[in-house]
């Protein structure tokens, strides 16, 4: 009896030791991710300021694209796969994300923003955090523990840049499997996310949290219908972005097999469009969500123009993220739909800000929490409804290569009939 009790205690001790080691490594990862996100984020703001001061730099976007393509071809190896490397590592198809991705992705994204490419930043933040996790994963013995640390890396990369630690945790848990969350990775994800937020904040990373000024939508049938329609529009906008992005990624290499010509022509088109529109849709386009969330004036097609230009840039090979553009697309769309739906403009913009993000990434909990962390918990019900409808209406599509569970409504394929052999 005593021997069995001792064995149980030993097993429990080993389990808690593994948990403690993983939590300590997650904290270290949070420090690395927070510092890298701060460096990356401050660099993005610096080059954006230079481009806004000298808008003619956009004319060099085609040359910048050719340079990026050359560097990735010459020294990048597999780094050009981007987020696919993170998904493959979590799935156990590879040991880690290459460390050289850190300087390559940071530098190439800075160059893209300097010359006006319409891309985001969170994808790179997540990738460099995942690459940094490769410095720590050799200390873990099991593939399961390494997978959990990689999930924590996604939370840390997202949190360190956007300063939404709770949403970052659930974004990481929801990201890899459609409709399924891996709660076993919850503790390291929480630790890494909180530490990354603290470190990046200490290093000067800030995020704009809009004050909705006490606006609210009365809980009437008309309001519920308006919120559902807004959520459906956000779901369709997310679906459109995903469809256009993946469609261009599949077709551009067939139309323009030469990658240098492909990225140069796309860069030229974006540069000319940017000069014609005063850079309204280039870079992060932060003026658009700012105007939407503060009651400013927007053009009815702002959301669609940003969607198309971003999809073209990313599909052509310019590095960057998709989440920040999804935020911008959503805020602009919500501001445009507010008046027809009878909703307060700033509230509709905030709801769409989160809902289009959820539709584009095929996540549900994360966008709701983004809304709560950025715009206040008093709007929980409206964020829940808008994000839930958007999630349903996006058709299960995602900008990321998520793993899907078998569809229970689909009949299994009939087995081919075989003839009897005498």
């Amino acid at each position: 009896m005593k021997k069995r009790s001792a064995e149980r205690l030993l097993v429990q001790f080993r389990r808690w030791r593994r948990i403690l080691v993983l939590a300590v490594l997650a904290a270290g990862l949070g420090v690395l991710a927070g510092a890298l996100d701060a460096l990356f984020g401050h660099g993005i703001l610096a080059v954006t300021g230079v481009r806004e001061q000298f808008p003619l730099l956009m004319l060099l976007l085609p040359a910048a694209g050719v340079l990026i393509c050359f560097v990735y071809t010459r020294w990048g190896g597999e780094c050009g796969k981007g987020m696919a490397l993170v998904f493959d590592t979590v799935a156990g198809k590879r040991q880690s994300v290459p460390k050289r991705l850190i300087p390559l992705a940071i530098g190439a994204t800075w160059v893209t923003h300097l010359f006006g490419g319409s891309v985001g930043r969170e994808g790179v933040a997540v990738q460099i955090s995942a690459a940094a996790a490769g410095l720590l994963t050799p200390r873990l013995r099991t593939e399961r523990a390494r997978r959990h640390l990689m999930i924590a890396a996604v939370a840390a990369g997202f949190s360190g840049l956007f300063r939404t630690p709770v949403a970052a945790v659930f974004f990481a848990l929801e990201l890899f499997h459609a409709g399924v969350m891996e709660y076993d990775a919850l503790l390291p994800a929480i630790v890494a996310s909180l530490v990354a937020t603290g470190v990046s904040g200490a290093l000067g990373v800030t995020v704009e949290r809009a004050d909705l000024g006490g606006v609210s939508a009365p809980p009437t049938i008309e309001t519920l219908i308006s919120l559902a329609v807004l959520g459906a529009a956000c779901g369709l906008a997310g679906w459109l972005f995903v469809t256009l992005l993946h469609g261009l990624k599949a077709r551009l290499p067939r139309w323009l097999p030469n990658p240098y010509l492909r990225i140069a022509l796309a860069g030229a088109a974006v540069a000319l469009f940017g000069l014609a529109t005063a850079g309204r849709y280039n870079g992060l386009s932060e003026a658009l969500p700012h105007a939407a969330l503060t009651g400013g004036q927007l053009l009815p097609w702002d959301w669609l123009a940003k969607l198309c230009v971003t999809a073209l840039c990313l599909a052509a090979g310019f590095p960057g993220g998709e989440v920040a553009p999804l935020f911008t697309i959503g805020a602009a769309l919500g501001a445009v739909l507010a008046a027809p739906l009878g909703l307060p403009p700033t509230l509709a913009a905030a709801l769409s800000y989160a809902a289009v993000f959820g539709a584009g990434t095929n996540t549900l909990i994360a966008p709701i929490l983004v809304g709560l962390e950025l715009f206040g918990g008093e709007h929980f019900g409206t964020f829940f409804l808008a994000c839930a409808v958007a999630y349903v209406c996006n058709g299960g599509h995602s900008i990321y290569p998520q793993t899907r569970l078998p569809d229970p409504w689909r009949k299994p394929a009939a087995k081919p009939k075989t003839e009897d052999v005498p």
Side-chain angles (χ1 to χ4, degrees):
M1 193 71 177
K2 291 182 178 180
K3 185 177 180 181
R4 291 181 179 177
S5 298
E7 289 176 350
R8 291 197 196 99
L9 287 174
L10 181 60
V11 170
Q12 195 69 9
F13 170 76
R14 289 174 176 171
R15 176 176 177 271
W16 283 107
R17 185 181 63 182
R18 289 193 297 270
I19 292 174
L20 179 61
V21 169
L22 190 57
V24 171
L25 291 177
L29 175 59
V31 173
L32 290 174
L36 288 171
D37 279 354
L39 171 67
F40 177 58
H42 287 313
I44 293 289
L45 296 178
V47 299
T48 298
V50 173
R51 188 193 72 247
E52 291 176 347
Q53 187 176 359
F54 304 101
L56 289 179
L57 284 173
M58 286 188 284
L59 290 174
L60 297 177
L61 183 60
V66 170
L67 175 62
I68 290 170
C69 187
F70 171 77
V71 170
Y72 268 82
T73 302
R74 179 68 177 81
W75 294 288
E78 295 181 301
C79 294
K81 294 180 179 179
M83 282 296 293
L85 295 173
V86 181
F87 276 77
D88 287 346
T89 305
V90 170
K93 297 178 181 179
R94 56 182 303 121
Q95 289 296 315
S96 63
V97 177
K99 315 300 183 299
R100 57 184 162 177
L101 180 142
I102 296 175
L104 283 174
I106 290 177
T109 307
W110 283 348
V111 170
T112 300
H113 279 274
L114 175 62
F115 296 104
S118 178
V119 296
R121 50 189 173 172
E122 105 300 328
V124 174
V126 168
Q127 291 168 43
I128 61 179
S129 178
L135 300 172
L136 305 174
T137 48
R139 299 180 179 274
L140 297 171
R141 297 179 180 179
T142 66
E143 181 180 325
R144 182 185 182 194
R146 289 192 290 270
R147 182 174 71 251
H148 290 172
L149 190 65
M150 288 299 299
I151 293 174
V154 172
F158 191 99
S159 175
L161 195 61
F162 288 116
R163 306 292 312 286
T164 53
V166 182
V169 169
F170 284 89
F171 176 71
L173 296 181
E174 287 186 275
L175 183 62
F176 297 98
H177 305 284
V180 178
M181 286 193 283
E182 191 164 354
Y183 284 109
D184 286 349
L186 182 61
L187 177 61
I190 290 174
V191 172
S193 180
L194 292 175
V195 172
T197 298
V199 171
S200 67
L203 294 175
V205 175
T206 59
V207 64
E208 184 178 2
R209 286 177 165 80
D211 182 8
L212 298 182
V215 298
S216 61
T220 63
I221 296 297
E222 292 80 4
T223 299
L224 294 178
I225 294 174
S226 295
L227 291 173
V229 172
L230 180 66
C234 292
L236 293 175
W239 169 83
L240 177 61
F241 181 74
V242 173
T243 302
L244 182 60
L245 177 61
H246 290 326
L248 287 175
K249 282 185 175 181
R251 289 172 175 79
L252 281 180
R254 296 204 299 265
W255 297 339
L256 297 168
N258 188 311
Y260 295 100
L261 181 61
R262 182 165 64 241
I263 200 169
L265 289 177
V270 171
L272 293 175
F273 186 67
L275 290 173
T277 56
R280 188 175 182 87
Y281 310 108
N282 296 81
L284 295 174
S285 304
E286 290 186 323
L288 296 181
H290 178 77
L293 295 169
T294 56
Q297 293 295 318
L298 288 170
L299 301 174
W301 56 83
D302 276 338
W303 68 275
L304 184 59
K306 180 63 179 177
L307 185 153
C308 294
V309 174
T310 302
L312 176 61
C313 281
L314 292 171
F318 286 101
E322 301 91 348
V323 167
L326 285 171
F327 287 150
T328 299
I329 293 164
L333 176 63
V336 170
L337 294 178
L341 294 177
L343 296 171
T346 54
L347 178 60
L351 293 171
S352 299
Y353 183 100
V356 172
F357 157 59
T361 57
N362 198 36
T363 57
L364 174 60
I365 306 301
I368 295 173
L369 294 174
V370 163
L372 301 187
E373 289 190 273
L374 292 181
F375 306 112
E378 65 270 21
H379 302 289
F380 170 77
T382 53
F383 275 104
F384 175 81
L385 179 57
C387 292
V389 174
Y391 178 81
V392 171
C393 292
N394 86 324
H397 296 82
S398 174
I399 54 178
Y400 302 122
Q402 291 178 319
T403 302
R404 302 182 182 279
L405 293 178
D407 187 352
W409 299 98
R410 180 177 296 175
K411 294 181 179 180
K415 295 182 179 180
K417 296 181 179 180
T418 56
E419 297 181 356
D420 295 333
V421 179

